[in-house]
Amino acid sequence: AELYGTVCLDNMQLADRDMDIVVQYAFEHKRCRVVSLRNNNITALGASVLADGLDGDRALKSLTLDGNRILDAGAEQLAKAFTQYQGRLFVLSLDATGMTDVACDHLADMVATKFSMTRLSLRNNEISDRGVRVLCERIANSGCGVGGLDLSGNKLLTDGCVDALCTAIEGNVYLHSLFMRDCELSATGRERVRLVAARRQAFTVHW
């Protein structure tokens, strides 16, 4: 099948029952590189269908599921599928999906297998310091190629994640941008991160 570009199915009130058709159309028939499903009605069940659909696919480079309540169970299924994925995943965006630290355990396993990701976006979820520590430990020690990590809007993040963030910045040369807007780090915590980032050439922290 010929490779196609982008399928954008944002804001279309798609539900779990529609995901079989999405898999057939976007993954199997069109072999799309970019699939966006923002702000639909997809739950963990639909995410599981998408995850199963990745088996055998190597074309997909970017998947966006922002604004769908797939929760930890859905994020876990996708993370496990992408851990086994044979293609090159560049972008995974799971903003405002209701995920917590539980999903971070599985995303950390996925991150450790990726060497070409430009962005992992987890904005506006319920991730706490523990989840960030798990993710950053893998980013720092696995040699993975995650270029940008977006944790903005996770209101449970405090100075308790600062050491982990600093370790990831220092330990992974591929990581070049960190997004931490609207989190609960103190001015002292932000300054610690800024000083570590300043020692890296062309590293950007977005507050």
Side-chain angles (χ1 to χ4, degrees), residues 88-207:
R88 297 182 66 189
L89 177 67
F90 293 141
V91 176
L92 179 61
S93 188
L94 301 176
D95 299 349
T97 53
M99 58 173 285
T100 72
D101 295 343
V102 174
C104 290
D105 293 333
H106 302 285
L107 289 169
D109 291 338
M110 179 203 76
V111 161
T113 69
K114 301 303 166 197
F115 301 95
S116 58
M117 284 191 76
T118 57
R119 186 179 179 91
L120 175 61
S121 188
L122 306 173
R123 299 167 61 102
N124 300 320
N125 282 298
E126 298 167 31
I127 300 169
S128 77
D129 296 333
R130 190 195 76 80
V132 171
R133 287 194 292 267
V134 170
L135 279 171
C136 287
E137 188 275 332
R138 290 300 181 90
I139 291 172
N141 297 318
S142 67
C144 63
V146 177
L149 178 63
D150 194 340
L151 297 166
S152 298
N154 283 281
K155 301 289 189 181
L156 299 177
L157 296 184
T158 70
D159 288 0
C161 70
V162 167
D163 286 344
L165 293 172
C166 292
T167 299
I169 294 169
E170 291 175 322
N172 191 309
V173 296
Y174 299 105
L175 184 67
H176 59 74
S177 60
L178 178 65
F179 297 80
M180 296 292 295
R181 298 187 178 102
D182 298 319
C183 298
E184 296 300 317
L185 276 68
S186 70
T188 300
R190 292 195 298 271
E191 180 64 8
R192 283 185 59 202
V193 174
R194 187 194 68 78
L195 289 173
V196 171
R199 297 200 290 267
R200 282 276 310 277
Q201 186 176 9
F203 193 99
T204 307
V205 182
H206 303 266
W207 297 110

Side-chain angles (χ1 to χ4, degrees), residues 6-128:
T6 299
V7 165
C8 181
L9 299 170
D10 299 344
N11 304 298
M12 295 188 67
Q13 299 185 336
L14 298 178
D16 296 334
R17 64 179 178 274
D18 302 309
M19 293 305 101
D20 283 322
I21 296 173
V22 170
V23 167
Q24 292 172 15
Y25 179 77
F27 293 176
E28 298 173 5
H29 178 57
K30 293 294 188 180
R31 297 188 64 213
C32 294
R33 293 186 177 94
V34 178
V35 175
S36 183
L37 292 158
R38 286 186 181 90
N39 301 323
N40 284 293
N41 300 313
I42 304 165
T43 71
L45 179 60
S48 180
V49 174
L50 294 173
D52 290 343
L54 290 169
D55 186 27
D57 181 61
R58 295 190 178 186
L60 186 68
K61 309 300 181 191
S62 174
L63 178 64
T64 298
L65 280 167
D66 302 350
N68 292 283
R69 297 287 292 178
I70 66 170
L71 307 176
D72 290 326
E76 174 184 347
Q77 292 300 314
L78 289 168
K80 287 181 175 179
F82 279 121
T83 298
Q84 303 298 322
Y85 186 60
Q86 298 299 307
R88 297 182 66 189
L89 177 67
F90 293 141
V91 176
L92 179 61
S93 188
L94 301 176
D95 299 349
T97 53
M99 58 173 285
T100 72
D101 295 343
V102 174
C104 290
D105 293 333
H106 302 285
L107 289 169
D109 291 338
M110 179 203 76
V111 161
T113 69
K114 301 303 166 197
F115 301 95
S116 58
M117 284 191 76
T118 57
R119 186 179 179 91
L120 175 61
S121 188
L122 306 173
R123 299 167 61 102
N124 300 320
N125 282 298
E126 298 167 31
I127 300 169
S128 77

